[in-house]
Amino acid sequence: GRPSGRGVGAMEELSERWLPSVLPLTKEAPTKDELNFSPGDLCETLTVLTLRSEESVLSDVVTELPQGLGLQVVQLGESTPRLRAHVRAGRLEGWITARTSSNHLHIRRRPAAVPVFGPKDVEVNGQYQVLTFAIVRAAEALDSPLLGELSMGASVQLLEVGKAGRNRVRVKGDDVEGWITMVNYMGQMLIGRMAKKYLRHRRASFSAGSAMVKEMLVLAKAGKDRELKQLTESGSQAEAPDINCRDIRGRTLLMYAGHAGSPETAAYILTHPSARVNELDDTQKTALHYAARRSAADDPAGGDNPRRAELVRKLVAAGISVDA
């Protein structure tokens, strides 16, 4: 889709005129060093930016990136005089305008003063817990093949600390082994020491690539609450899958239930104390967005769907944000 009421690329070219930057901007022109970027640079957005699927400003819009967001430059585009950059920010990936044709910066390298979690702070072969969603790749390089994902709370064993950058580590989870980032672009730790009391009785974590998670997502999408309950409660508590598991696009079971318009499926998911209602997918949508969306299964005459209305009421009662 295209942002309404604006020309193609308008957000990239005009945003610095009306949005305050997060990092302090000076009246002096940017230095040559500030104007140039390299793959691997850790940066912050200075304004709201439009993330697109391709280098062209005519390509599809993925989402909008907020000001102050940490991201990493993966690749520089060939277009001139505007500098386009392929960037990655968590699960989001796409192209932005890093520098306009008039040399206005839309991103700036992260200050060197931001603390970095180094090898001296970690223990090889130690047990750690993932503090947020983590992407697992085949090698230390950020452009290496994607192997899977680790959800928040997953337990991993730290096997190796990266050589090219101190914030990349190789870990082994329940069903995936590979490289993850242990510090985000703002210097915040993404993995933490697992308390000893959780080491013996920890909850098994399933990645988006596991067979059980895929089956759970299929059942939630179909609104089959009874089958979902039977699947999730069939094993021991130690083997129970994460009720907040996601697919490769960051969509949770609750979002799938919202898409299905199934208040029963959502109600079952919400019976779990650990269920998180305000999770966002890669397009920054919550389960409420999916629940409120009219589908082909709804009244073809355009009337209200009472089941979707009931679903929305359940989500609101569970504390979902109506301002997301």
Side-chain angles (χ1 to χ4, degrees):
R2 305 265 192 267
S4 60
R6 298 183 182 274
V8 176
M11 179 65 76
E12 290 97 333
E13 296 297 340
L14 300 178
S15 58
E16 78 275 4
R17 299 182 186 178
W18 57 275
L19 283 172
S21 63
V22 174
L23 294 179
L25 293 177
T26 63
K27 294 183 179 180
E28 293 80 11
T31 65
K32 183 177 180 180
D33 181 63
E34 289 175 327
L35 289 171
N36 294 314
F37 298 93
S38 301
D41 282 349
L42 301 180
C43 302
E44 293 170 334
T45 58
L46 297 178
T47 70
V48 173
L49 292 176
T50 301
L51 185 73
R52 296 183 181 271
S53 59
E54 305 292 340
E55 181 179 353
S56 170
V57 294
L58 297 174
S59 60
D60 292 338
V61 174
V62 177
T63 188
E64 288 190 343
L65 302 179
Q67 58 181 352
L69 179 71
L71 51 80
Q72 185 157 33
V73 176
V74 177
Q75 178 186 353
L76 297 177
E78 299 178 355
S79 60
T80 57
R82 175 197 297 127
L83 176 64
R84 298 280 287 170
H86 181 196
V87 299
R88 181 180 296 118
R91 296 188 300 275
L92 297 174
E93 189 168 342
W95 289 82
I96 63 169
T97 296
R99 184 188 68 228
T100 70
S101 57
S102 55
N103 282 342
H104 287 289
L105 293 177
H106 283 171
I107 62 174
R108 179 177 292 182
R109 274 187 291 274
R110 186 185 68 184
V114 174
V116 176
F117 185 53
K120 65 180 182 297
D121 303 311
V122 300
E123 178 186 350
V124 174
N125 295 323
Q127 289 290 332
Y128 289 82
Q129 189 170 35
V130 178
L131 302 179
T132 185
F133 174 90
I135 294 175
V136 184
R137 295 189 177 273
E140 184 178 352
L142 289 168
D143 58 355
S144 61
L146 178 68
L147 298 182
E149 304 169 354
L150 291 167
S151 60
M152 185 172 69
S155 171
V156 295
Q157 182 182 16
L158 194 151
L159 303 177
E160 182 183 354
V161 176
K163 298 179 176 60
R166 296 194 301 165
N167 68 333
R168 296 283 287 170
V169 290
R170 183 166 65 91
V171 299
K172 182 178 181 180
D174 288 333
D175 57 359
V176 65
E177 179 179 332
W179 290 82
I180 66 172
T181 298
M182 64 178 174
V183 181
N184 71 5
Y185 313 103
M186 301 302 294
Q188 298 169 322
M189 293 173 51
L190 303 182
I191 63 172
R193 265 294 197 180
M194 179 170 281
K196 292 183 179 179
K197 65 179 180 179
Y198 294 117
L199 291 178
R200 293 183 181 178
H201 304 289
R202 63 182 175 83
R203 186 183 184 86
S205 175
F206 293 79
S207 74
S210 74
M212 179 172 284
V213 163
K214 288 182 178 179
E215 188 173 355
M216 291 168 63
L217 294 170
V218 167
L219 292 175
K221 185 176 182 179
K224 296 183 177 180
D225 56 294
R226 295 179 182 177
E227 291 86 346
L228 180 62
K229 180 178 181 180
Q230 182 178 4
L231 176 64
T232 56
E233 298 179 1
S234 59
S236 66
Q237 181 66 20
E239 298 173 345
D242 185 0
I243 202 67
N244 298 299
C245 61
R246 299 171 178 266
D247 68 5
I248 196 68
R249 300 297 181 188
R251 293 170 294 199
T252 65
L253 285 176
L254 197 58
M255 293 175 192
Y256 273 96
H259 176 78
S262 173
E264 296 85 3
T265 305
Y268 168 67
I269 296 170
L270 293 171
T271 61
H272 292 72
S274 60
R276 298 189 294 272
V277 298
N278 285 305
E279 294 293 280
L280 297 173
D281 67 5
D282 286 358
T283 62
Q284 305 301 294
K285 291 184 177 67
T286 68
L288 186 60
H289 290 96
Y290 288 95
R293 178 186 299 172
R294 189 180 302 278
S295 72
D298 292 336
D299 185 355
D304 293 333
N305 186 321
R307 286 175 54 75
R308 284 195 177 273
E310 180 186 354
L311 172 59
V312 168
R313 286 195 294 269
K314 288 183 181 296
L315 292 174
V316 172
I320 199 166
S321 174
V322 297
D323 298 320

